[in-house]
Amino acid sequence: MRFIVLSIFNSLIAAGPALAQSDYNVGVPKDIIILQSTRDYAAALAGARQAATKLGRPLKLAGYKPNKELGLSASKTVCVEGGYEYPCYTPRGQGGAENSDYLSIEFSDGYAGFAKGYYIVVAALVPPNSAALHQTLARVQRAYPTAYAKRTSVWFGCMH
């Protein structure tokens, strides 16, 4: 009997990583709080800077610059050092599916269900229908009444 119990216990321990991986390499639903969308990067940058000041939140551009091929890209050095070909762009939230509350400029092509070709000023990335969504959206809409949340899916898993 002791052998059977130990065998079951060891099987569960060995299966633990496999069970945990069932929630890895999947799309995770998120709501993105959007302040502005435009085809003009300079307009998006001006809007993002103004919003960071107005909302008192950090602006994180992640070193991305406009790129004709991808919309946004990190520098060639950053792409290569990260193991990617140049140009490269990782949309906010991709990989770790983390929640975040800062301003950024993202390229709409990187998100499922978004119209293509737009620079979007993003105020937050939060779980759908969460308290964080409602609180953050209410805070943002006090300064930007037309801000809205749009549902998408971000990748949680390996990016290579």
Side-chain angles (χ1 to χ4, degrees), residues 5-73:
V5 170
L6 285 175
S7 294
I8 292 171
F9 178 75
N10 286 336
S11 295
L12 289 173
I13 295 296
L19 294 173
Q21 287 195 6
S22 67
D23 292 336
Y24 192 69
N25 288 332
V26 297
V28 175
K30 294 286 182 179
D31 280 344
I32 296 180
I33 298 178
I34 299 172
L35 302 181
Q36 175 186 3
S37 62
T38 177
R39 293 188 185 272
D40 179 0
Y41 181 80
L45 183 58
R49 286 180 173 153
Q50 179 187 41
T53 300
K54 203 170 193 180
L55 296 171
R57 305 298 309 145
L59 173 59
K60 298 182 181 181
L61 299 176
Y64 292 125
K65 303 283 184 199
N67 176 275
K68 289 180 183 177
E69 188 176 334
L70 293 180
L72 287 174
S73 179

Side-chain angles (χ1 to χ4, degrees), residues 21 52 66-67 97 107 115 122 153 157 160:
Q21 287 195 6
N67 176 275
F107 199 64
V122 174
S153 178
H160 284 94

Side-chain angles (χ1 to χ4, degrees), residues 7 12 32 47 60 74 79 82 97 104 109 129 137-139:
S7 294
L12 289 173
I32 296 180
K60 298 182 181 181
C79 292
S104 69
D109 292 27
N129 300 319
L137 188 57
R139 175 176 43 90

Side-chain angles (χ1 to χ4, degrees), residues 106-140:
E106 304 299 325
F107 199 64
S108 63
D109 292 27
Y111 294 98
F114 281 40
K116 303 298 182 197
Y118 288 88
Y119 296 102
I120 52 177
V121 177
V122 174
L125 183 67
V126 295
N129 300 319
S130 64
L133 167 65
H134 300 294
Q135 291 167 355
T136 305
L137 188 57
R139 175 176 43 90
V140 169

